[in-house]
PDB file of all heavy atoms in Angstrom:
ATOM      1  N   SER A   1     -44.866 128.684  35.949  1.00  0.00           N
ATOM      2  CA  SER A   1     -45.210 129.893  36.301  1.00  0.00           C
ATOM      3  C   SER A   1     -44.818 130.210  37.768  1.00  0.00           C
ATOM      4  O   SER A   1     -44.448 129.195  38.496  1.00  0.00           O
ATOM      5  CB  SER A   1     -46.787 130.131  36.198  1.00  0.00           C
ATOM      6  OG  SER A   1     -47.489 129.315  36.923  1.00  0.00           O
ATOM      7  N   GLY A   2     -44.871 131.417  38.049  1.00  0.00           N
ATOM      8  CA  GLY A   2     -44.355 131.786  39.485  1.00  0.00           C
ATOM      9  C   GLY A   2     -42.908 132.186  39.480  1.00  0.00           C
ATOM     10  O   GLY A   2     -42.533 132.943  38.640  1.00  0.00           O
ATOM     11  N   ARG A   3     -42.104 131.732  40.360  1.00  0.00           N
ATOM     12  CA  ARG A   3     -40.694 132.146  40.495  1.00  0.00           C
ATOM     13  C   ARG A   3     -39.878 131.254  39.452  1.00  0.00           C
ATOM     14  O   ARG A   3     -38.880 130.633  39.907  1.00  0.00           O
ATOM     15  CB  ARG A   3     -40.181 131.888  41.964  1.00  0.00           C
ATOM     16  CG  ARG A   3     -40.961 132.729  42.907  1.00  0.00           C
ATOM     17  CD  ARG A   3     -40.648 132.480  44.434  1.00  0.00           C
ATOM     18  NE  ARG A   3     -39.297 132.640  44.696  1.00  0.00           N
ATOM     19  CZ  ARG A   3     -38.892 133.816  45.114  1.00  0.00           C
ATOM     20  NH1 ARG A   3     -39.614 134.939  45.367  1.00  0.00           N
ATOM     21  NH2 ARG A   3     -37.488 133.805  45.457  1.00  0.00           N
ATOM     22  N   THR A   4     -40.159 131.438  38.207  1.00  0.00           N
ATOM     23  CA  THR A   4     -39.415 130.647  37.167  1.00  0.00           C
ATOM     24  C   THR A   4     -37.937 130.983  37.079  1.00  0.00           C
ATOM     25  O   THR A   4     -37.186 130.168  36.593  1.00  0.00           O
ATOM     26  CB  THR A   4     -40.129 130.795  35.915  1.00  0.00           C
ATOM     27  OG1 THR A   4     -40.089 132.177  35.494  1.00  0.00           O
ATOM     28  CG2 THR A   4     -41.544 130.254  35.851  1.00  0.00           C
ATOM     29  N   PHE A   5     -37.542 132.254  37.541  1.00  0.00           N
ATOM     30  CA  PHE A   5     -36.188 132.552  37.461  1.00  0.00           C
ATOM     31  C   PHE A   5     -35.308 131.738  38.368  1.00  0.00           C
ATOM     32  O   PHE A   5     -34.086 131.537  38.267  1.00  0.00           O
ATOM     33  CB  PHE A   5     -36.050 134.060  37.852  1.00  0.00           C
ATOM     34  CG  PHE A   5     -36.416 134.306  39.356  1.00  0.00           C
ATOM     35  CD1 PHE A   5     -35.531 134.171  40.323  1.00  0.00           C
ATOM     36  CD2 PHE A   5     -37.770 134.573  39.566  1.00  0.00           C
ATOM     37  CE1 PHE A   5     -35.986 134.458  41.626  1.00  0.00           C
ATOM     38  CE2 PHE A   5     -38.139 134.996  40.833  1.00  0.00           C
ATOM     39  CZ  PHE A   5     -37.336 134.776  42.008  1.00  0.00           C
ATOM     40  N   SER A   6     -35.995 130.924  39.408  1.00  0.00           N
ATOM     41  CA  SER A   6     -35.224 130.153  40.352  1.00  0.00           C
ATOM     42  C   SER A   6     -34.973 128.717  39.764  1.00  0.00           C
ATOM     43  O   SER A   6     -34.167 127.974  40.449  1.00  0.00           O
ATOM     44  CB  SER A   6     -35.960 130.140  41.599  1.00  0.00           C
ATOM     45  OG  SER A   6     -37.178 129.431  41.537  1.00  0.00           O
ATOM     46  N   ILE A   7     -35.512 128.387  38.702  1.00  0.00           N
ATOM     47  CA  ILE A   7     -35.372 126.971  38.059  1.00  0.00           C
ATOM     48  C   ILE A   7     -34.043 126.796  37.642  1.00  0.00           C
ATOM     49  O   ILE A   7     -33.541 127.533  36.821  1.00  0.00           O
ATOM     50  CB  ILE A   7     -36.455 126.782  37.025  1.00  0.00           C
ATOM     51  CG1 ILE A   7     -37.911 126.940  37.658  1.00  0.00           C
ATOM     52  CG2 ILE A   7     -36.167 125.430  36.465  1.00  0.00           C
ATOM     53  CD1 ILE A   7     -38.917 126.798  36.631  1.00  0.00           C
ATOM     54  N   LYS A   8     -33.376 125.730  38.139  1.00  0.00           N
ATOM     55  CA  LYS A   8     -32.082 125.326  37.661  1.00  0.00           C
ATOM     56  C   LYS A   8     -32.195 124.311  36.502  1.00  0.00           C
ATOM     57  O   LYS A   8     -31.326 124.416  35.577  1.00  0.00           O
ATOM     58  CB  LYS A   8     -31.229 124.822  38.826  1.00  0.00           C
ATOM     59  CG  LYS A   8     -30.786 125.595  39.888  1.00  0.00           C
ATOM     60  CD  LYS A   8     -30.348 124.788  41.141  1.00  0.00           C
ATOM     61  CE  LYS A   8     -29.186 123.852  40.660  1.00  0.00           C
ATOM     62  NZ  LYS A   8     -28.679 123.097  41.836  1.00  0.00           N
ATOM     63  N   ALA A   9     -33.110 123.483  36.638  1.00  0.00           N
ATOM     64  CA  ALA A   9     -33.345 122.464  35.583  1.00  0.00           C
ATOM     65  C   ALA A   9     -34.668 122.097  35.534  1.00  0.00           C
ATOM     66  O   ALA A   9     -35.465 122.091  36.513  1.00  0.00           O
ATOM     67  CB  ALA A   9     -32.485 121.201  35.789  1.00  0.00           C
ATOM     68  N   ILE A  10     -35.229 121.736  34.368  1.00  0.00           N
ATOM     69  CA  ILE A  10     -36.691 121.329  34.204  1.00  0.00           C
ATOM     70  C   ILE A  10     -36.807 120.242  33.239  1.00  0.00           C
ATOM     71  O   ILE A  10     -35.982 120.113  32.324  1.00  0.00           O
ATOM     72  CB  ILE A  10     -37.570 122.551  33.766  1.00  0.00           C
ATOM     73  CG1 ILE A  10     -38.984 122.164  33.902  1.00  0.00           C
ATOM     74  CG2 ILE A  10     -37.064 123.138  32.474  1.00  0.00           C
ATOM     75  CD1 ILE A  10     -39.917 123.463  33.746  1.00  0.00           C
ATOM     76  N   GLY A  11     -37.702 119.311  33.434  1.00  0.00           N
ATOM     77  CA  GLY A  11     -37.815 118.278  32.583  1.00  0.00           C
ATOM     78  C   GLY A  11     -39.031 117.312  32.918  1.00  0.00           C
ATOM     79  O   GLY A  11     -39.974 117.776  33.509  1.00  0.00           O
ATOM     80  N   TRP A  12     -38.746 116.038  32.440  1.00  0.00           N
ATOM     81  CA  TRP A  12     -39.857 115.054  32.589  1.00  0.00           C
ATOM     82  C   TRP A  12     -39.419 113.787  33.178  1.00  0.00           C
ATOM     83  O   TRP A  12     -38.330 113.277  32.884  1.00  0.00           O
ATOM     84  CB  TRP A  12     -40.443 114.754  31.213  1.00  0.00           C
ATOM     85  CG  TRP A  12     -40.858 115.906  30.605  1.00  0.00           C
ATOM     86  CD1 TRP A  12     -40.337 116.814  29.731  1.00  0.00           C
ATOM     87  CD2 TRP A  12     -42.338 116.260  30.521  1.00  0.00           C
ATOM     88  NE1 TRP A  12     -41.215 117.824  29.354  1.00  0.00           N
ATOM     89  CE2 TRP A  12     -42.407 117.512  29.803  1.00  0.00           C
ATOM     90  CE3 TRP A  12     -43.635 115.800  31.195  1.00  0.00           C
ATOM     91  CZ2 TRP A  12     -43.694 118.125  29.583  1.00  0.00           C
ATOM     92  CZ3 TRP A  12     -44.644 116.494  31.011  1.00  0.00           C
ATOM     93  CH2 TRP A  12     -44.774 117.756  30.236  1.00  0.00           C
ATOM     94  N   TYR A  13     -40.328 113.292  34.154  1.00  0.00           N
ATOM     95  CA  TYR A  13     -40.222 112.008  34.769  1.00  0.00           C
ATOM     96  C   TYR A  13     -41.335 111.130  34.330  1.00  0.00           C
ATOM     97  O   TYR A  13     -42.371 111.764  33.831  1.00  0.00           O
ATOM     98  CB  TYR A  13     -40.036 112.087  36.303  1.00  0.00           C
ATOM     99  CG  TYR A  13     -38.691 112.344  36.829  1.00  0.00           C
ATOM    100  CD1 TYR A  13     -38.260 113.617  36.665  1.00  0.00           C
ATOM    101  CD2 TYR A  13     -37.998 111.460  37.611  1.00  0.00           C
ATOM    102  CE1 TYR A  13     -37.043 114.027  37.273  1.00  0.00           C
ATOM    103  CE2 TYR A  13     -36.704 111.898  38.182  1.00  0.00           C
ATOM    104  CZ  TYR A  13     -36.242 113.071  37.967  1.00  0.00           C
ATOM    105  OH  TYR A  13     -35.061 113.524  38.455  1.00  0.00           O
ATOM    106  N   ARG A  14     -41.234 109.828  34.473  1.00  0.00           N
ATOM    107  CA  ARG A  14     -42.521 109.007  34.194  1.00  0.00           C
ATOM    108  C   ARG A  14     -42.553 107.919  35.254  1.00  0.00           C
ATOM    109  O   ARG A  14     -41.564 107.360  35.774  1.00  0.00           O
ATOM    110  CB  ARG A  14     -42.491 108.518  32.762  1.00  0.00           C
ATOM    111  CG  ARG A  14     -41.366 107.562  32.502  1.00  0.00           C
ATOM    112  CD  ARG A  14     -41.351 107.019  30.983  1.00  0.00           C
ATOM    113  NE  ARG A  14     -40.339 106.131  30.625  1.00  0.00           N
ATOM    114  CZ  ARG A  14     -40.055 105.820  29.471  1.00  0.00           C
ATOM    115  NH1 ARG A  14     -40.706 106.301  28.418  1.00  0.00           N
ATOM    116  NH2 ARG A  14     -39.124 104.857  29.286  1.00  0.00           N
ATOM    117  N   GLN A  15     -43.836 107.427  35.391  1.00  0.00           N
ATOM    118  CA  GLN A  15     -44.003 106.369  36.298  1.00  0.00           C
ATOM    119  C   GLN A  15     -45.109 105.422  35.766  1.00  0.00           C
ATOM    120  O   GLN A  15     -46.224 105.747  35.452  1.00  0.00           O
ATOM    121  CB  GLN A  15     -44.546 106.763  37.629  1.00  0.00           C
ATOM    122  CG  GLN A  15     -44.558 105.632  38.758  1.00  0.00           C
ATOM    123  CD  GLN A  15     -44.689 106.182  40.187  1.00  0.00           C
ATOM    124  OE1 GLN A  15     -45.078 107.402  40.342  1.00  0.00           O
ATOM    125  NE2 GLN A  15     -44.308 105.423  41.127  1.00  0.00           N
ATOM    126  N   ALA A  16     -44.597 104.168  35.507  1.00  0.00           N
ATOM    127  CA  ALA A  16     -45.469 103.142  34.965  1.00  0.00           C
ATOM    128  C   ALA A  16     -46.115 102.414  36.163  1.00  0.00           C
ATOM    129  O   ALA A  16     -45.466 102.338  37.160  1.00  0.00           O
ATOM    130  CB  ALA A  16     -44.740 102.230  34.035  1.00  0.00           C
ATOM    131  N   PRO A  17     -47.197 101.693  35.921  1.00  0.00           N
ATOM    132  CA  PRO A  17     -47.902 100.986  37.008  1.00  0.00           C
ATOM    133  C   PRO A  17     -46.872  99.968  37.548  1.00  0.00           C
ATOM    134  O   PRO A  17     -46.245  99.241  36.853  1.00  0.00           O
ATOM    135  CB  PRO A  17     -49.007 100.272  36.355  1.00  0.00           C
ATOM    136  CG  PRO A  17     -49.356 101.117  35.300  1.00  0.00           C
ATOM    137  CD  PRO A  17     -48.023 101.678  34.756  1.00  0.00           C
ATOM    138  N   GLY A  18     -46.720  99.996  38.914  1.00  0.00           N
ATOM    139  CA  GLY A  18     -45.883  98.985  39.592  1.00  0.00           C
ATOM    140  C   GLY A  18     -44.364  99.323  39.587  1.00  0.00           C
ATOM    141  O   GLY A  18     -43.585  98.450  39.980  1.00  0.00           O
ATOM    142  N   LYS A  19     -44.022 100.384  38.916  1.00  0.00           N
ATOM    143  CA  LYS A  19     -42.604 100.779  38.782  1.00  0.00           C
ATOM    144  C   LYS A  19     -42.240 102.085  39.477  1.00  0.00           C
ATOM    145  O   LYS A  19     -43.158 102.837  39.794  1.00  0.00           O
ATOM    146  CB  LYS A  19     -42.224 100.801  37.253  1.00  0.00           C
ATOM    147  CG  LYS A  19     -42.292  99.524  36.578  1.00  0.00           C
ATOM    148  CD  LYS A  19     -41.884  99.565  35.129  1.00  0.00           C
ATOM    149  CE  LYS A  19     -41.864  98.248  34.461  1.00  0.00           C
ATOM    150  NZ  LYS A  19     -41.242  98.300  33.051  1.00  0.00           N
ATOM    151  N   GLN A  20     -41.001 102.261  39.719  1.00  0.00           N
ATOM    152  CA  GLN A  20     -40.512 103.560  40.267  1.00  0.00           C
ATOM    153  C   GLN A  20     -40.498 104.693  39.312  1.00  0.00           C
ATOM    154  O   GLN A  20     -40.391 104.438  38.026  1.00  0.00           O
ATOM    155  CB  GLN A  20     -39.078 103.380  40.804  1.00  0.00           C
ATOM    156  CG  GLN A  20     -39.013 102.575  42.100  1.00  0.00           C
ATOM    157  CD  GLN A  20     -37.670 102.532  42.834  1.00  0.00           C
ATOM    158  OE1 GLN A  20     -36.670 102.750  41.957  1.00  0.00           O
ATOM    159  NE2 GLN A  20     -37.545 102.414  43.969  1.00  0.00           N
ATOM    160  N   ARG A  21     -40.740 105.883  39.770  1.00  0.00           N
ATOM    161  CA  ARG A  21     -40.690 107.066  38.919  1.00  0.00           C
ATOM    162  C   ARG A  21     -39.197 107.121  38.386  1.00  0.00           C
ATOM    163  O   ARG A  21     -38.180 107.025  39.096  1.00  0.00           O
ATOM    164  CB  ARG A  21     -41.011 108.279  39.667  1.00  0.00           C
ATOM    165  CG  ARG A  21     -41.328 109.558  38.796  1.00  0.00           C
ATOM    166  CD  ARG A  21     -42.026 110.637  39.582  1.00  0.00           C
ATOM    167  NE  ARG A  21     -43.258 110.274  40.129  1.00  0.00           N
ATOM    168  CZ  ARG A  21     -44.009 111.199  40.756  1.00  0.00           C
ATOM    169  NH1 ARG A  21     -43.686 112.516  40.784  1.00  0.00           N
ATOM    170  NH2 ARG A  21     -45.238 110.783  41.189  1.00  0.00           N
ATOM    171  N   GLU A  22     -38.984 107.474  37.066  1.00  0.00           N
ATOM    172  CA  GLU A  22     -37.714 107.544  36.429  1.00  0.00           C
ATOM    173  C   GLU A  22     -37.640 108.799  35.591  1.00  0.00           C
ATOM    174  O   GLU A  22     -38.547 109.305  35.097  1.00  0.00           O
ATOM    175  CB  GLU A  22     -37.535 106.297  35.559  1.00  0.00           C
ATOM    176  CG  GLU A  22     -38.422 106.107  34.532  1.00  0.00           C
ATOM    177  CD  GLU A  22     -38.082 104.992  33.606  1.00  0.00           C
ATOM    178  OE1 GLU A  22     -36.993 104.341  33.808  1.00  0.00           O
ATOM    179  OE2 GLU A  22     -38.786 104.748  32.593  1.00  0.00           O
ATOM    180  N   LEU A  23     -36.457 109.317  35.463  1.00  0.00           N
ATOM    181  CA  LEU A  23     -36.067 110.461  34.748  1.00  0.00           C
ATOM    182  C   LEU A  23     -36.284 110.045  33.260  1.00  0.00           C
ATOM    183  O   LEU A  23     -35.716 109.062  32.830  1.00  0.00           O
ATOM    184  CB  LEU A  23     -34.668 111.050  34.974  1.00  0.00           C
ATOM    185  CG  LEU A  23     -34.199 112.096  33.997  1.00  0.00           C
ATOM    186  CD1 LEU A  23     -34.839 113.327  34.246  1.00  0.00           C
ATOM    187  CD2 LEU A  23     -32.740 112.251  34.209  1.00  0.00           C
ATOM    188  N   VAL A  24     -36.905 110.915  32.438  1.00  0.00           N
ATOM    189  CA  VAL A  24     -37.061 110.804  31.057  1.00  0.00           C
ATOM    190  C   VAL A  24     -36.033 111.703  30.385  1.00  0.00           C
ATOM    191  O   VAL A  24     -35.167 111.327  29.505  1.00  0.00           O
ATOM    192  CB  VAL A  24     -38.462 110.957  30.529  1.00  0.00           C
ATOM    193  CG1 VAL A  24     -38.523 110.946  29.073  1.00  0.00           C
ATOM    194  CG2 VAL A  24     -39.460 110.028  31.123  1.00  0.00           C
ATOM    195  N   ALA A  25     -36.174 112.948  30.617  1.00  0.00           N
ATOM    196  CA  ALA A  25     -35.274 113.940  30.002  1.00  0.00           C
ATOM    197  C   ALA A  25     -35.353 115.167  30.885  1.00  0.00           C
ATOM    198  O   ALA A  25     -36.378 115.522  31.480  1.00  0.00           O
ATOM    199  CB  ALA A  25     -35.691 114.180  28.541  1.00  0.00           C
ATOM    200  N   GLU A  26     -34.296 115.979  30.851  1.00  0.00           N
ATOM    201  CA  GLU A  26     -34.241 117.162  31.508  1.00  0.00           C
ATOM    202  C   GLU A  26     -33.291 118.229  30.754  1.00  0.00           C
ATOM    203  O   GLU A  26     -32.440 117.740  30.048  1.00  0.00           O
ATOM    204  CB  GLU A  26     -33.894 117.098  32.916  1.00  0.00           C
ATOM    205  CG  GLU A  26     -32.406 116.758  33.159  1.00  0.00           C
ATOM    206  CD  GLU A  26     -32.094 116.501  34.704  1.00  0.00           C
ATOM    207  OE1 GLU A  26     -32.994 117.006  35.499  1.00  0.00           O
ATOM    208  OE2 GLU A  26     -30.901 116.294  34.940  1.00  0.00           O
ATOM    209  N   ILE A  27     -33.639 119.491  30.867  1.00  0.00           N
ATOM    210  CA  ILE A  27     -32.778 120.565  30.379  1.00  0.00           C
ATOM    211  C   ILE A  27     -32.465 121.507  31.377  1.00  0.00           C
ATOM    212  O   ILE A  27     -33.181 121.991  32.087  1.00  0.00           O
ATOM    213  CB  ILE A  27     -33.555 121.230  29.127  1.00  0.00           C
ATOM    214  CG1 ILE A  27     -32.681 122.278  28.323  1.00  0.00           C
ATOM    215  CG2 ILE A  27     -34.867 121.857  29.631  1.00  0.00           C
ATOM    216  CD1 ILE A  27     -33.172 122.621  27.026  1.00  0.00           C
ATOM    217  N   SER A  28     -31.174 121.924  31.392  1.00  0.00           N
ATOM    218  CA  SER A  28     -30.684 122.799  32.561  1.00  0.00           C
ATOM    219  C   SER A  28     -30.801 124.318  31.898  1.00  0.00           C
ATOM    220  O   SER A  28     -31.010 124.613  30.725  1.00  0.00           O
ATOM    221  CB  SER A  28     -29.238 122.560  32.745  1.00  0.00           C
ATOM    222  OG  SER A  28     -29.161 121.135  33.366  1.00  0.00           O
ATOM    223  N   ARG A  29     -30.521 125.226  32.915  1.00  0.00           N
ATOM    224  CA  ARG A  29     -30.526 126.711  32.545  1.00  0.00           C
ATOM    225  C   ARG A  29     -29.528 127.009  31.437  1.00  0.00           C
ATOM    226  O   ARG A  29     -29.793 127.794  30.635  1.00  0.00           O
ATOM    227  CB  ARG A  29     -30.371 127.430  33.769  1.00  0.00           C
ATOM    228  CG  ARG A  29     -30.373 128.985  33.517  1.00  0.00           C
ATOM    229  CD  ARG A  29     -30.398 129.708  34.825  1.00  0.00           C
ATOM    230  NE  ARG A  29     -31.639 129.482  35.511  1.00  0.00           N
ATOM    231  CZ  ARG A  29     -32.856 130.114  35.282  1.00  0.00           C
ATOM    232  NH1 ARG A  29     -32.818 131.115  34.347  1.00  0.00           N
ATOM    233  NH2 ARG A  29     -33.975 130.021  35.886  1.00  0.00           N
ATOM    234  N   ASP A  30     -28.384 126.228  31.311  1.00  0.00           N
ATOM    235  CA  ASP A  30     -27.397 126.438  30.408  1.00  0.00           C
ATOM    236  C   ASP A  30     -27.729 125.689  29.067  1.00  0.00           C
ATOM    237  O   ASP A  30     -26.895 125.639  28.211  1.00  0.00           O
ATOM    238  CB  ASP A  30     -26.027 126.074  30.924  1.00  0.00           C
ATOM    239  CG  ASP A  30     -25.888 124.663  31.249  1.00  0.00           C
ATOM    240  OD1 ASP A  30     -26.812 123.762  30.989  1.00  0.00           O
ATOM    241  OD2 ASP A  30     -24.789 124.195  31.629  1.00  0.00           O
ATOM    242  N   SER A  31     -28.899 125.054  29.051  1.00  0.00           N
ATOM    243  CA  SER A  31     -29.394 124.372  27.813  1.00  0.00           C
ATOM    244  C   SER A  31     -28.731 122.925  27.712  1.00  0.00           C
ATOM    245  O   SER A  31     -29.032 122.353  26.613  1.00  0.00           O
ATOM    246  CB  SER A  31     -29.187 125.199  26.487  1.00  0.00           C
ATOM    247  OG  SER A  31     -29.889 126.394  26.606  1.00  0.00           O
ATOM    248  N   SER A  32     -27.937 122.564  28.545  1.00  0.00           N
ATOM    249  CA  SER A  32     -27.580 121.210  28.429  1.00  0.00           C
ATOM    250  C   SER A  32     -28.617 120.292  28.759  1.00  0.00           C
ATOM    251  O   SER A  32     -29.587 120.445  29.580  1.00  0.00           O
ATOM    252  CB  SER A  32     -26.417 120.899  29.456  1.00  0.00           C
ATOM    253  OG  SER A  32     -26.810 121.023  30.805  1.00  0.00           O
ATOM    254  N   THR A  33     -28.676 118.995  28.131  1.00  0.00           N
ATOM    255  CA  THR A  33     -29.730 118.104  28.231  1.00  0.00           C
ATOM    256  C   THR A  33     -29.223 116.776  28.752  1.00  0.00           C
ATOM    257  O   THR A  33     -28.084 116.357  28.624  1.00  0.00           O
ATOM    258  CB  THR A  33     -30.495 117.902  26.954  1.00  0.00           C
ATOM    259  OG1 THR A  33     -29.490 117.547  25.881  1.00  0.00           O
ATOM    260  CG2 THR A  33     -31.127 119.227  26.342  1.00  0.00           C
ATOM    261  N   ASN A  34     -30.170 116.011  29.290  1.00  0.00           N
ATOM    262  CA  ASN A  34     -29.882 114.663  29.823  1.00  0.00           C
ATOM    263  C   ASN A  34     -31.089 113.763  29.550  1.00  0.00           C
ATOM    264  O   ASN A  34     -32.233 114.187  29.815  1.00  0.00           O
ATOM    265  CB  ASN A  34     -29.595 114.770  31.348  1.00  0.00           C
ATOM    266  CG  ASN A  34     -29.282 113.398  31.974  1.00  0.00           C
ATOM    267  OD1 ASN A  34     -28.595 112.592  31.318  1.00  0.00           O
ATOM    268  ND2 ASN A  34     -29.623 113.232  33.161  1.00  0.00           N
ATOM    269  N   TYR A  35     -30.728 112.687  28.970  1.00  0.00           N
ATOM    270  CA  TYR A  35     -31.887 111.738  28.596  1.00  0.00           C
ATOM    271  C   TYR A  35     -31.658 110.337  29.139  1.00  0.00           C
ATOM    272  O   TYR A  35     -30.557 109.861  29.352  1.00  0.00           O
ATOM    273  CB  TYR A  35     -31.881 111.494  27.053  1.00  0.00           C
ATOM    274  CG  TYR A  35     -32.333 112.683  26.271  1.00  0.00           C
ATOM    275  CD1 TYR A  35     -31.398 113.662  25.802  1.00  0.00           C
ATOM    276  CD2 TYR A  35     -33.643 112.930  25.977  1.00  0.00           C
ATOM    277  CE1 TYR A  35     -31.749 114.760  25.006  1.00  0.00           C
ATOM    278  CE2 TYR A  35     -33.971 114.071  25.265  1.00  0.00           C
ATOM    279  CZ  TYR A  35     -33.089 115.010  24.791  1.00  0.00           C
ATOM    280  OH  TYR A  35     -33.407 116.020  24.004  1.00  0.00           O
ATOM    281  N   ALA A  36     -32.698 109.611  29.408  1.00  0.00           N
ATOM    282  CA  ALA A  36     -32.688 108.247  29.791  1.00  0.00           C
ATOM    283  C   ALA A  36     -32.182 107.500  28.613  1.00  0.00           C
ATOM    284  O   ALA A  36     -32.576 107.830  27.430  1.00  0.00           O
ATOM    285  CB  ALA A  36     -34.042 107.679  30.419  1.00  0.00           C
ATOM    286  N   ASP A  37     -31.433 106.365  28.863  1.00  0.00           N
ATOM    287  CA  ASP A  37     -30.958 105.611  27.707  1.00  0.00           C
ATOM    288  C   ASP A  37     -32.095 105.060  26.869  1.00  0.00           C
ATOM    289  O   ASP A  37     -31.919 104.923  25.671  1.00  0.00           O
ATOM    290  CB  ASP A  37     -30.020 104.472  28.227  1.00  0.00           C
ATOM    291  CG  ASP A  37     -28.733 104.866  28.750  1.00  0.00           C
ATOM    292  OD1 ASP A  37     -28.352 106.078  28.419  1.00  0.00           O
ATOM    293  OD2 ASP A  37     -28.025 104.218  29.544  1.00  0.00           O
ATOM    294  N   SER A  38     -33.242 104.746  27.487  1.00  0.00           N
ATOM    295  CA  SER A  38     -34.251 104.096  26.826  1.00  0.00           C
ATOM    296  C   SER A  38     -34.985 105.092  25.739  1.00  0.00           C
ATOM    297  O   SER A  38     -35.764 104.600  25.043  1.00  0.00           O
ATOM    298  CB  SER A  38     -35.319 103.632  27.873  1.00  0.00           C
ATOM    299  OG  SER A  38     -35.826 104.630  28.682  1.00  0.00           O
ATOM    300  N   VAL A  39     -34.783 106.346  25.988  1.00  0.00           N
ATOM    301  CA  VAL A  39     -35.485 107.257  24.997  1.00  0.00           C
ATOM    302  C   VAL A  39     -34.548 108.025  24.199  1.00  0.00           C
ATOM    303  O   VAL A  39     -34.905 108.715  23.243  1.00  0.00           O
ATOM    304  CB  VAL A  39     -36.339 108.288  25.851  1.00  0.00           C
ATOM    305  CG1 VAL A  39     -37.317 107.532  26.857  1.00  0.00           C
ATOM    306  CG2 VAL A  39     -35.432 109.291  26.534  1.00  0.00           C
ATOM    307  N   LYS A  40     -33.145 107.793  24.289  1.00  0.00           N
ATOM    308  CA  LYS A  40     -32.323 108.542  23.435  1.00  0.00           C
ATOM    309  C   LYS A  40     -32.487 108.186  21.894  1.00  0.00           C
ATOM    310  O   LYS A  40     -32.710 107.041  21.558  1.00  0.00           O
ATOM    311  CB  LYS A  40     -30.793 108.074  23.751  1.00  0.00           C
ATOM    312  CG  LYS A  40     -30.429 108.770  25.057  1.00  0.00           C
ATOM    313  CD  LYS A  40     -28.961 108.320  25.377  1.00  0.00           C
ATOM    314  CE  LYS A  40     -28.438 109.016  26.624  1.00  0.00           C
ATOM    315  NZ  LYS A  40     -27.014 108.636  27.026  1.00  0.00           N
ATOM    316  N   GLY A  41     -32.590 109.207  21.132  1.00  0.00           N
ATOM    317  CA  GLY A  41     -32.688 109.038  19.723  1.00  0.00           C
ATOM    318  C   GLY A  41     -34.183 109.110  19.248  1.00  0.00           C
ATOM    319  O   GLY A  41     -34.555 109.156  18.125  1.00  0.00           O
TER     320      GLY A  41
END
């Protein structure tokens, strides 16, 4: 919500205990997607 028109890409990161935050998946305004190798499929 809010200034959603300004969003270029939106998605999900995750952080497990003792680990760095990592990208899980994201989708861009043009609908292209990007996934971490560990979650593909």
